[in-house]
Amino acid sequence: VQFAGSAEVAVRVGKSGYTIDIIDQGPGVDEDQFPSLLEPFFRIDQARQRNTDGFGLGIPTAHILLTRFNGSLKFSRNPCGGLTAHILVPIVSH
């Protein structure tokens, strides 16, 4: 939201869990950078490193935790521009 101005969130329930899509209309991210988004301390625009809060650990930490519990975090580009984060939060059976 900081760089896109706004975002939409869509939640669906499926057999394997909850799918959450976070869709923005911002400048987007090149597909070749998607794997780097999951790396600790990565910043898309290195020039902004000193001007923005955070350490670049939120997305990688979420990815690790989701993967550990059979979930996932993936990205795609929107046809109109922007980025979509696809999050699968698994349903845990007791």
Side-chain angles (χ1 to χ4, degrees), residues 16-22 37-38 57-75 85-92:
S16 58
Y18 296 91
T19 302
I20 304 166
D21 292 333
I22 303 169
L37 292 174
L38 302 175
L57 294 174
I59 292 173
T61 301
H63 177 253
I64 290 167
L65 289 171
L66 286 163
T67 302
R68 178 173 286 175
F69 294 101
N70 298 318
S72 64
L73 173 58
K74 299 177 183 177
F75 304 97
H86 306 277
I87 304 164
L88 173 62
V89 180
I91 295 174
V92 178

Side-chain angles (χ1 to χ4, degrees), residues 11-85:
V11 180
R12 296 180 308 283
V13 180
K15 292 179 184 178
S16 58
Y18 296 91
T19 302
I20 304 166
D21 292 333
I22 303 169
I23 307 144
D24 74 40
Q25 300 299 320
V29 176
D30 291 332
E31 290 181 16
D32 63 339
Q33 290 186 315
F34 289 170
S36 297
L37 292 174
L38 302 175
E39 296 176 10
F41 309 110
F42 177 76
R43 298 277 183 127
I44 294 202
D45 182 354
Q46 297 298 322
R48 284 192 274 211
Q49 274 192 347
R50 295 184 190 105
N51 299 337
T52 57
D53 292 335
F55 294 100
L57 294 174
I59 292 173
T61 301
H63 177 253
I64 290 167
L65 289 171
L66 286 163
T67 302
R68 178 173 286 175
F69 294 101
N70 298 318
S72 64
L73 173 58
K74 299 177 183 177
F75 304 97
S76 66
R77 288 186 56 89
N78 298 338
C80 309
L83 179 72
T84 299

